Each structure stands twice: as C-alpha cells, then as structure tokens.
Amino acid sequence: MSAHADNQAHDNDHGHHHKETFVTKYIFSQDHKMIAKQYLITGTIMGVIGVLMSMMFRMQIAWPEEPNILFEALLGKWAPDGVMDADIYLALVTIHGTIMVFFVLTAGLSGTFSNLLIPLQIGARDMASGFLNMVSYWLFFLSSVIMIMSLFVEAGPAAAGWTIYPPLSALPMAQGGSGLGMTLWLVSMALFIASSLLGSLNYIVTVINLRTKGMSMTRLPLTIWAFFVTAIIGVVSFPVLLSAALLLIMDRSFGTSFFLSDIFIQGEVLHYQGGSPVLFEHLFWFLGHPEVYIVILPAMGLVSEIMASNSRKPIFGYRAMIASILAIAFLSTIVWGHHMFVSGMNPFLGSVFTFTTLLIAIPSAVKAFNWITTLWKGNLQMNPAMLFSIGFVSTFISGGLTGIILGDSALDINVHDTYFVVAHFHLVMGISALYGMFAGIYHWYPKMFGRMLNKNLGYIHFWLTAVCAYGVFFPMHFIGMAGLPRRYYTNSNFPLFDDLANVNVIITIFALIGGVVQIIYLYNFFASMFVGKKATQNPWRSTTLEWTTPVKHIHGNWKGDIPHVYRWAYDYSKPGHDDDFVPQNVPLKDGEEELQH
C-alpha cells in the first residue's frame, strides 16, 4: 500500500539548489520548515493579544464599575474615566474567541505542526506544492492583520460573540460593532478559510502521494494520521462557514433576507422578510463543531507521539487509535445540533443529536484509555513535553465529562448559555489544545531551531499554568450551575448573583496569574533561539524519520537519498536490540518480526 515517491531526479536538484536571498528564505519561503516557524510565531503573537483581552474582561467581571488605569490606557474612549463600556466588553469577548479558536489553535497546531512534521515524518523532500503552502501562510497572515485592524475601527470591532449570530451581525445599524468592524471580521474569516483550504488540500495530497518507500499507511506515526484526517474535516466543513459568511455579507450589504425576518428597530419595521437566523446557526455550527475536532485532533496526534517516546514503550492500541481518529472525524459532522437545543428545535431531532453526541464519547474514551495504558509501567521521562501531554489527558477527561451533560438535550437546557458551557469548552478544547501545542513545541523545538528549550523554565511554566487553568475553569462549573449567564459585562444588577461575586474574583486572580506566567514561556521560546543549548540530532532518542535529518536545516531535508522505512513508528524497548529504540529506517534483523499493531 506504500506510495513510493522517491523521485531521484527531484533529489538531484537539491544538490545544486539556487542561492537563497533573505526574502526567499525568511519571508516568501517555500520551505515547509520555515513556513511552520512563520505560522508558530504569528500564532504566538495572536495568542498574546487574545490572552490580554481575556485578562481585561476578567478584571471587568471581578471588579465591575471600578475605575482601572489599564482600561483607560488600552481602551481610550471605550473606558471613560477607566470604567469599561458595555459595548467594548462584548467586542473583547468576540475577538478573544475568534483569535483563540481560529488564529491560535487552528493555525498554531495544524499550520505549525502539519507543515513541520508531514514531510519529515513520511520521508518527503517538501510539501506537494511549496508555492501553495506559501500562499496559504500569507493569506493567514493577511487575515490576522485585518482581524487586528478591526480593533481600531471608530465604531468598534465586531461585537456579536465569536459565533456572530444574526441579527447583531446582519444589521449594520444594530450596534456600534455591527458596522465596519463586522465587515472586517467577515473579510478576515473569508481569507482565513481560503488559507485553511489551501493548506488542507496540500497536506492531504502530500500524505497520499509523497510517502517514502516502505512507508505504508499502517507505518505512519499517529501524528500524521491526525493531521491527515484533520485536513479532510477542514475540506469538508470550512466551505460551509464560507457560504454562511458570504450570505451574511449579502444580507448586510445587498438587501437580501437569508437570515433576517420581522425586524423592528425603535418601533420601525424593517423591510426584511422570510429569512431565519436559525439557518445561520445550522451553517455556522456545521463548521463550528467539526472545528473543535480540527483543533483537538492534531493535539491528540502530538500527545500520542510524545507519550510513546517518553514512556519508552510502543503506543498502546495503534490501530484502535487510528480507528478512533476516523470515528471522531465522521461523528463530528453529525453532532452540530447540540449547540442549538434551545433554538426551538423539534424535541425528536434533539434526541437524535443527543444520541450522536454521546456516541462521540466512545472513540474519545478509547483514546484516553490508550494514553493511560501507554503510560502504565513505562520508563517515564518527565520532561516538560511529557508533563504537558499528561496535563492534556487530564483536562481532556475532566472537560469531556461535562460534555455528557451538555450533550443531553434535557440537561443542557438548564445550563445553556451559562458559565458551565464556558468552563466545559475551555477545558476540553481550549486548555487541552494549548497543552498539546505546548507539548509539541517543547518536543520539536530542537527540530525547528536546532537548540533546546530551558527545561527548568519549562517545569515552572507547566506547573503554574496547570494550577491556574484549573483555578480558572473548575469554579466556573459551579457558578454556571448556579445560573450565572455568560457574556454579561456586570452582574451587579441581579441580587440573585451577589453571592457569586467572590468566586468571580478568585477566577480572575487565577486568570491574571496564569496570563503573566506565559511570559516565562515567551522568554524561554525567544531567548532559546539564541542562547539555548545546541541540540543533538536525536535528543529524545525517538524512532520517527524527522530525527534522521541533520540538525542544520537544508533544503530537501536529507542529504543524498531519502531513507527507506522497514518498520512501524513505535519500536521502543524491543527485545533483541541494544538500544531502547529502533528508528524506522533500520532494516529488520534476520528472524525479527515486525510488531503486530
């Protein structure tokens, strides 16, 4: 089944590659390794902006109506005398959600690690199309710039929530942020979707066509399976969001009524007739739910690889892991209705979506048990990447359990649109995916930059982040069950919620500490590029092909011929070998059997 793509002619080209200028090497690069770094650094900058926003609105919730010099400095006219305006609170929540979900987690995981690892781990010189890869990154960059530009629009940035439900998003006169800010949001997302589709098609073609000799699908590392299936989900579901965005632009600018009907503004009847905002919800969540798996699957792949390598034993249940990735991908496209249980949905349809939602817990549980079993009796190397991987499993389980409540239409109605939902998806998707991303960065940093990250700073980063993450999102479940609604900029008008004010202060303190702790990581990340310990070729003693390439990046990845593959990706602690790992390019000994997996 191996697609043999050992193009010798292509190999020879790399011997006398044309001289690269600064522009072709660092800016308009077509080398997948450089593009991965571009994605990572752009995603990191966006992440800093997203986290700063969350720190600002957390301070607003903890100490509403109290003057804050930070608000006055950063928000200007939106915080007269240092008191945050209600409209800008919604805008901060909206842009924070958009940045973190799309620009940090989607691009930081898929954009960075698919680009870095797919060619290196399958034994390819580069992506199928280096040019498309470059275009994909620059569309993403442009989209990031436009999203940040929207923050400086006079009437304010988009403020309809990151889900941009109509009519707030469809009527330019609905509120300040519904004007130019919302238009820029839609333009930015259209470019982001184009970038995502180009990238995904490139990843799919590369995995199918460019595997080296001997690299059958069942010898692929789980990282590649995860990136491959993630790209397929992206190709299936992102066009639906693009169509929703285009129809929304039509409603906003060209007088159509796809999502609008019977709208009154200050007693005046608008001319819109016959549309339905629920149609938008269907289109949005048909992407929106697969999107959470587009975010989490690459993290799952990275964690599987890191755990096997740092447990010094094969991943448990390799084929079951592949099957569960495929099952999650299929089921992710038929569960979107669980976001809409309170939209007046037919109760029978609600029960169908409840069934499919609870069904997706099965492949997720298979993965969780397989990770735990991989750790069982392993020779555990507790480096920062391993700690973040174990943290990932912890938050994935604790966040996933509350999904069983939210996936049940009868139970969801009680906690829908409360902080319970915020706590659930931040733990299971936000924190888990961030942990997966951090694990991947700590593990593959030597491959990206040729140097090691500081291990002790990594430990401090992990433990403080882990304590703060649970400190923020664990109490949120309880204030959600007490009925506190999300997206309210202050709860002081409701005596019912006075008792919860102290909990919100505690959450905010943890959030502020957790945000500041990331400075340790940022220092480690940028300083180690210059002063970090120089990496050896295979610092983690791993089996996969990327560790057979030279430390210094060369165009085409390998000098001379591409290595051939003779075994699966997880030959750790195999009896009959001197080392506790056997790289994939080492031929089988006489009489040695390839492990059944």
Side-chain angles (χ1 to χ4, degrees):
M1 195 176 156
S2 167
H4 177 189
D6 199 9
N7 341 0
Q8 283 315 125
H10 188 51
D11 293 357
N12 296 337
D13 286 349
H14 287 279
H16 36 84
H17 189 70
H18 61 272
K19 195 82 183 114
E20 288 189 310
T21 63
F22 178 83
V23 173
T24 58
K25 184 170 182 185
Y26 292 106
I27 301 174
F28 297 112
S29 173
Q30 296 189 24
D31 185 338
H32 69 101
K33 300 181 290 297
M34 184 55 68
I35 293 171
K37 291 186 212 175
Q38 290 175 322
Y39 265 113
L40 181 56
I41 290 169
T42 312
T44 302
I45 293 165
M46 294 298 278
V48 170
I49 295 166
V51 169
L52 278 173
M53 287 179 174
S54 65
M55 290 163 80
M56 280 201 285
F57 60 70
R58 273 312 323 174
M59 285 193 276
Q60 164 64 22
I61 299 167
W63 302 287
E65 278 123 42
E66 283 185 28
N68 187 319
I69 51 167
L70 263 178
F71 292 169
E72 204 164 5
L74 291 171
L75 299 176
K77 69 168 184 175
W78 299 107
D81 302 323
V83 178
M84 189 185 288
D85 184 73
D87 285 343
I88 202 67
Y89 174 84
L90 278 177
L92 287 173
V93 172
T94 301
I95 306 295
H96 161 79
T98 308
I99 283 178
M100 297 309 281
V101 172
F102 294 109
F103 294 87
V104 179
L105 297 177
T106 308
L109 280 158
S110 286
T112 301
F113 290 104
S114 297
N115 268 312
L116 178 73
L117 294 177
I118 287 176
L120 288 173
Q121 289 194 336
I122 67 173
R125 293 287 182 201
D126 207 315
M127 283 290 178
S129 167
F131 178 74
L132 268 191
N133 212 9
M134 177 187 79
V135 172
S136 164
Y137 168 72
W138 282 102
L139 284 174
F140 166 69
F141 180 80
L142 196 59
S143 139
S144 306
V145 169
I146 292 171
M147 189 59 74
I148 299 306
M149 270 169 53
S150 77
L151 297 173
F152 300 97
V153 169
E154 189 179 355
W162 78 277
T163 54
I164 56 158
Y165 285 177
L168 280 182
S169 59
L171 293 171
M173 70 292 275
Q175 57 179 12
S178 299
L180 181 57
M182 190 69 237
T183 304
L184 289 173
W185 192 100
L186 288 165
V187 170
S188 169
M189 283 314 298
L191 288 170
F192 176 85
I193 293 165
S195 152
S196 214
L197 287 171
L198 288 179
S200 295
L201 291 169
N202 216 352
Y203 307 149
I204 292 167
V205 172
T206 307
V207 172
I208 291 174
N209 286 342
L210 296 186
R211 304 194 305 281
T212 186
K213 188 174 183 182
M215 182 64 87
S216 63
M217 293 299 277
T218 50
R219 284 178 177 170
L220 286 173
L222 287 171
T223 38
I224 304 299
W225 269 105
F227 300 145
F228 178 56
V229 173
T230 300
I232 294 170
I233 304 175
V235 168
V236 169
S237 55
F238 265 119
V240 180
L241 183 65
L242 185 60
S243 66
L246 291 174
L247 295 180
L248 198 51
I249 289 168
M250 304 278 279
D251 272 13
R252 290 169 56 79
S253 306
F254 301 106
T256 57
S257 302
F258 291 108
F259 306 131
L260 294 168
S261 185
D262 305 322
I263 301 283
F264 295 81
I265 288 193
Q266 295 171 336
E268 182 195 343
V269 187
L270 300 189
H271 66 277
Y272 298 104
Q273 208 62 42
S276 166
V278 176
L279 168 62
F280 178 85
E281 290 186 32
H282 278 293
L283 292 174
F284 181 89
W285 287 115
F286 190 82
L287 158 95
H289 203 80
E291 165 65 22
V292 305
Y293 291 101
I294 289 171
V295 162
I296 206 75
L297 277 177
M300 288 174 162
L302 297 173
V303 163
S304 302
E305 181 63 39
I306 292 165
M307 279 199 171
S309 183
N310 287 310
S311 300
R312 312 311 295 164
K313 56 183 281 205
I315 191 83
F316 184 86
Y318 174 82
R319 284 178 192 245
M321 288 298 233
I322 295 172
S324 61
I325 288 174
L326 295 169
I328 285 172
F330 169 68
L331 290 169
S332 76
T333 59
I334 53 170
V335 296
W336 79 91
H338 67 219
H339 297 270
M340 301 168 57
F341 286 144
V342 294
S343 66
M345 173 188 284
N346 181 321
F348 173 73
L349 190 56
S351 66
V352 172
F353 279 121
T354 297
F355 174 70
T356 56
T357 302
L358 297 182
L359 214 56
I360 209 165
I362 297 169
S364 306
V366 166
K367 296 190 88 61
F369 288 127
N370 282 1
W371 287 318
I372 293 167
T373 319
T374 302
L375 295 175
W376 178 249
K377 293 193 174 176
N379 173 16
L380 305 184
Q381 317 291 307
M382 287 297 188
N383 49 43
M386 182 65 152
L387 288 176
F388 273 111
S389 299
I390 296 169
F392 169 92
V393 178
S394 164
T395 54
F396 185 69
I397 292 171
S398 56
L401 286 172
T402 53
I404 296 171
I405 295 165
L406 295 171
D408 188 308
S409 52
L411 298 174
D412 172 71
I413 289 166
N414 303 291
V415 286
H416 193 88
D417 254 339
T418 67
Y419 272 94
F420 192 87
V421 178
V422 179
H424 159 71
F425 77 77
H426 275 84
L427 271 183
V428 80
M429 174 183 121
I431 298 297
S432 298
L434 273 178
Y435 281 1
M437 190 164 106
F438 283 138
I441 291 165
Y442 279 101
H443 191 77
W444 279 284
Y445 191 90
K447 189 42 51 198
M448 280 191 268
F449 297 102
R451 291 179 182 268
M452 306 294 280
L453 284 165
N454 183 306
K455 201 172 174 179
N456 293 333
L457 289 179
Y459 288 139
I460 296 168
H461 176 218
F462 170 74
W463 284 112
L464 290 177
T465 303
V467 171
C468 290
Y470 270 134
V472 169
F473 297 114
F474 203 72
M476 265 190 203
H477 291 93
F478 300 105
I479 59 174
M481 285 192 284
L484 191 69
R486 61 197 275 207
R487 293 184 180 157
Y488 284 23
Y489 83 111
T490 174
N491 302 299
S492 51
N493 293 340
F494 305 99
L496 172 70
F497 299 133
D498 285 350
D499 294 344
L500 305 177
N502 290 338
V503 184
N504 261 327
V505 171
I506 290 167
I507 290 173
T508 297
I509 289 167
F510 273 120
L512 294 174
I513 297 169
V516 170
V517 163
Q518 305 315 308
I519 294 171
I520 298 170
Y521 158 74
L522 290 171
Y523 167 77
N524 197 2
F525 182 85
F526 288 107
S528 296
M529 291 181 198
F530 307 103
V531 298
K533 195 178 96 184
K534 288 204 169 159
T536 54
Q537 187 175 15
N538 189 355
W540 313 117
R541 296 161 60 79
S542 294
T543 57
T544 42
L545 288 182
E546 76 270 29
W547 304 107
T548 62
T549 61
V551 178
K552 190 174 183 326
H553 288 177
I554 55 167
H555 200 82
N557 297 337
W558 286 272
K559 288 176 181 164
D561 292 345
I562 296 175
H564 292 178
V565 167
Y566 301 95
R567 55 183 73 239
W568 73 320
Y570 299 101
D571 266 345
Y572 290 102
S573 304
K574 193 172 185 186
H577 287 269
D578 297 335
D579 283 322
D580 66 351
F581 71 107
V582 191
Q584 284 187 280
N585 61 330
V586 173
L588 293 169
K589 293 180 177 176
D590 288 343
E592 182 187 358
E593 284 184 26
E594 190 173 359
L595 279 182
Q596 291 301 308
H597 40 263

